[in-house]
Amino acid sequence: MNLRLGIIATLIATVALAGCGSSSNTRSPAAPSGSPPSGGSSGGSSGGSGALSPDATSAATGDIPDTQNFLTHRDAAHHFSMLYPEGWTVQRQASGSVFRDKNNLVRVTVAPGGAPTTTSMAAELSKLQASVPTLKLNGAPQTVTLKAGPAVKATYSTQSAPNPVTGKRVTLTVDRYELGHGGQRATLELGTPTGVDNIDAYKRMANSFTWR
């Protein structure tokens, strides 16, 4: 009987020692489900007031046809309206609205500001160049006239990151217009990927911009 009790005591001591061993296989606590991945980005190519940039993974898209039907977008929060092609995705943002069909991309932002000048736009684009290495200007800003009134126009291009499969980059050519009204400044950016002709459709969209 004493021998059996001795064996049981030895087994209990062995198990206790095993439980106090190395913790190298202990699993770390899981991160909260709401935590962002390290190194991730919360920004987007079509958001905010940065340069307009294409998406390397977006499928190519064709020209906007002459028979394209247009709808009127009314942004009550920013007091403007503008035509856009039927079927495009419309996204309202804190600073304005974005219209998209694959890499056909149009953004309108409105912020407090005075009437733009060629000098002020050149300074803005120079600042963008410092943060967007692929941005290239196509000539100096010029004064133009839209139906909504006097405006300043410049053209720039940006490139996407390399496509993860092909390594190719998409180039986006952007016509940028700025016009002021009542202490507000609107910036219209109309982006077209290389090989796509949206000149007439984009002129129609820019000229349809109306303050409300």
Side-chain angles (χ1 to χ4, degrees):
M1 184 69 177
N2 290 336
L3 178 61
R4 180 177 296 177
L5 289 174
I7 293 172
I8 293 173
T10 301
L11 290 173
I12 292 173
T14 302
V15 171
L17 287 172
C20 296
S22 171
S23 61
S24 60
N25 292 328
T26 303
R27 186 174 298 174
S28 300
S33 59
S35 300
S38 94
S41 171
S42 62
S45 63
S46 62
S49 57
L52 216 57
S53 300
D55 180 2
T57 62
S58 181
T61 187
D63 304 349
I64 301 173
D66 294 337
T67 57
Q68 173 70 49
N69 187 43
F70 284 78
L71 304 177
T72 300
H73 171 73
R74 294 177 175 84
D75 190 325
H78 300 96
H79 308 289
F80 76 86
S81 65
M82 193 174 78
L83 295 178
Y84 71 96
E86 184 177 17
W88 282 32
T89 299
V90 180
Q91 180 184 5
R92 294 179 184 270
Q93 299 186 332
S95 57
S97 300
V98 175
F99 312 87
R100 180 194 295 273
D101 177 35
K102 302 180 179 67
N103 266 327
N104 282 333
L105 184 60
V106 175
R107 179 176 65 191
V108 181
T109 57
V110 178
T117 64
T118 55
T119 301
S120 66
M121 183 182 279
E124 291 168 10
L125 292 173
S126 179
K127 185 180 296 185
L128 286 178
Q129 276 185 304
S131 59
V132 183
T134 66
L135 190 150
K136 294 182 179 179
L137 296 178
N138 183 11
Q142 298 180 339
T143 55
V144 296
T145 302
L146 299 177
K147 289 185 178 179
V152 178
K153 178 187 177 183
T155 301
Y156 67 83
S157 65
T158 57
Q159 286 189 328
S160 70
N163 183 285
V165 177
T166 65
K168 294 182 178 180
R169 296 174 182 263
V170 177
T171 299
L172 194 73
T173 300
V174 181
D175 286 332
R176 177 183 175 111
Y177 297 86
E178 291 185 2
L179 60 166
H181 175 77
Q184 297 290 304
R185 183 182 297 182
T187 301
L188 286 60
E189 292 173 291
L190 304 98
T192 303
T194 298
V196 177
D197 180 6
N198 290 332
I199 293 176
D200 291 339
Y202 278 3
K203 282 183 177 179
R204 180 177 181 182
M205 292 177 71
N207 269 312
S208 72
F209 179 89
T210 304
W211 291 104
R212 294 191 176 278

